[in-house]
Amino acid sequence: MKLTWQPYNLQLKHPFTISNFSRTFTPLVLTQLTFEDYTGYGEASMPPYLGESPDTAHAFLSLLDLSEFRDPKEQKEEILGYVDQLAPGNAAAKAAIDIALHDLIGKIEKAPCWKMFGSDPGKMPYNSCTIGIDKPEVVLKKVEEAKDFKVLKVKLGSEDDKLLINTIRSVTAKPLYIDANQGWKDRSRALEMIHWLKENNAVLIEQPLPKQQLDDAAWLTQHSPLPIIADEAFQRLTDLDRIKDAYTGINIKLMKCTGLAEAQKIIKAARASNLKILMGCMSETSCAINAAAQLAPFCDWVDLDGPFMVSNNPFKTTEMKDGKIVLKNLDGIGLELV
Ligand code: MG
């Protein structure tokens, strides 16, 4: 197998603001894994605050020598184990290998990944579209742009949380997923806010408190009328034991957990611990989003809006129907080139 990669700047339609920063593009590295006549596609998305960059991905990918692996399917676990142990961290760069490898195996096997995973397309949850923190007039524009979505995900954690919700509620009654991105600091005030949000048809609350405040998260989960989901507090499978009693559920992102193989293991372990599951994403092209969608029917909620928020997706945009991502009968992750 041979690996190649290139950097790519993914431009956002709107500057993206969450509780503590703002940006206009997301640096990516796009990968291709070739074996015989087949090519698998992968992607690393690296929002700067997470610590990876095209430079760190380049350094990590340069360490790899995949030339000795001659059977992608039979050696999948071996390959991914080799990649993971090569250096700590580098979760997004590792995901770029994992996604390309799954795509490659699907193409060799002439089967969609979702079929190989045993996913039931009939169980695909609605997809949500994220509304970042912004001025009321921009928020209204974003809500209009999200008209194909039946659920909105709202970023809170600023001084204007109620204004933002009231602005959205002036034009739509759609259910809301709330993501505070650690923006609330006090558990009692967070609980008050959650009660108010429930009255406003919020469905779940993601990372309301700083990730270090595990005892407060446990208290909030115990008292909250809505599910409390760990995002920043949960990265990889090894984090599950530490946080599982403090949250109702977890947000799985391929870029955090190194890809589809580990995501599958997390889903299994989370279900065994009675945790709810949200499948989330970073700013990503259709490549990483299509990959995550292959496992989405195993989850309770889906927030895979990456390709719908960007203006230069280099692949064909992920298809949605009736507010849900469509799992097509295409080999691998079902990525279509333009
Ligand atoms: Mg989040």
Side-chain angles (χ1 to χ4, degrees):
M1 281 189 295
K2 184 169 176 285
L3 178 73
T4 56
W5 63 91
Q6 66 196 81
Y8 190 83
N9 276 348
L10 191 60
Q11 302 293 334
L12 305 174
K13 281 186 196 163
H14 296 282
F16 187 69
T17 305
I18 59 169
S19 73
N20 51 4
F21 75 96
S22 186
R23 67 174 193 276
T24 57
F25 74 94
T26 303
L28 311 179
V29 165
L30 300 174
T31 54
Q32 292 188 13
L33 198 51
T34 53
F35 179 71
E36 296 174 348
D37 292 336
Y38 302 97
T39 302
Y41 291 82
E43 168 180 358
S45 170
M46 296 165 289
Y49 69 99
L50 294 174
E52 288 183 76
S53 68
D55 286 344
T56 64
H58 177 79
F60 179 77
L61 297 174
S62 300
L63 297 173
L64 291 167
D65 178 7
L66 299 172
S67 60
E68 296 301 309
F69 294 105
R70 303 298 305 163
D71 190 337
K73 188 181 175 220
E74 286 306 313
Q75 292 180 294
K76 185 177 98 171
E77 285 297 320
E78 196 184 329
I79 295 164
L80 294 175
Y82 158 72
V83 170
D84 197 21
Q85 59 77 45
L86 213 50
N90 294 286
K94 289 171 183 175
I97 308 287
D98 168 285
I99 294 168
L101 182 59
H102 281 89
D103 192 34
L104 182 67
I105 293 169
K107 283 168 175 165
I108 294 169
E109 296 293 304
K110 306 213 178 335
C113 289
W114 61 263
K115 276 192 186 165
M116 296 195 288
F117 293 149
S119 292
D120 175 357
K123 294 192 172 149
M124 178 65 82
Y126 287 115
N127 195 10
S128 68
C129 183
T130 299
I131 310 288
I133 294 171
D134 227 312
K135 297 188 196 75
E137 60 269 27
V138 183
V139 167
L140 291 174
K141 191 160 177 276
K142 288 179 181 174
V143 172
E144 168 60 23
E145 286 172 5
K147 61 181 184 305
D148 292 343
F149 290 79
K150 295 189 187 298
V151 186
L152 301 177
K153 182 166 167 182
V154 185
K155 296 286 191 180
L156 295 185
S158 80
E159 292 301 302
D160 300 323
D161 283 353
K162 287 193 177 178
L163 174 66
L164 184 52
I165 297 296
N166 288 333
T167 302
I168 292 169
R169 280 291 168 253
S170 72
V171 288
T172 177
K174 285 177 184 175
L176 304 179
Y177 301 162
I178 303 296
D179 189 354
N181 287 107
Q182 316 183 76
W184 302 335
K185 308 300 173 197
D186 178 80
R187 68 186 195 182
S188 300
R189 286 188 59 192
L191 184 59
E192 269 172 47
M193 190 65 188
I194 291 168
H195 278 287
W196 183 83
L197 287 165
K198 182 167 189 280
E199 286 167 23
N200 282 278
N201 197 19
V203 175
L204 61 85
I205 310 289
E206 196 176 305
Q207 204 64 57
L209 300 167
K211 61 182 180 184
Q212 305 82 353
Q213 291 174 220
L214 202 58
D215 291 346
D216 289 337
W219 180 90
L220 197 56
T221 294
Q222 212 173 21
H223 292 83
S224 170
L226 295 177
I228 306 292
I229 310 301
D231 184 8
E232 286 85 343
F234 174 77
Q235 308 290 317
R236 296 195 60 175
L237 181 60
T238 46
D239 297 321
L240 203 64
D241 271 347
R242 185 174 47 79
I243 61 106
K244 68 178 171 23
D245 296 326
Y247 290 89
T248 322
I250 52 170
N251 182 334
I252 299 176
K253 293 175 182 166
L254 299 186
M255 297 302 144
K256 294 194 295 184
C257 77
T258 73
L260 290 161
E262 183 155 320
Q264 264 189 301
K265 292 174 191 161
I266 293 171
I267 289 169
K268 203 169 165 216
R271 291 308 191 197
S273 294
N274 257 328
L275 287 165
K276 296 277 191 185
I277 303 171
L278 169 72
M279 181 64 85
C281 65
M282 309 293 181
S283 302
E284 293 165 6
T285 75
S286 305
C287 179
I289 294 297
N290 282 22
Q294 309 293 313
L295 286 174
F298 290 109
C299 304
D300 300 286
W301 307 290
V302 168
D303 176 34
L304 295 175
D305 58 0
F308 310 102
M309 322 287 284
V310 301
S311 56
N312 65 340
N313 184 358
F315 307 106
K316 193 171 165 197
T317 300
T318 305
E319 191 176 319
M320 288 222 317
K321 190 165 180 282
D322 300 329
K324 297 175 179 180
I325 291 179
V326 179
L327 291 175
K328 295 185 175 179
N329 267 313
L330 295 172
D331 299 343
I333 60 171
L335 186 65
E336 296 174 90
L337 305 180
V338 287

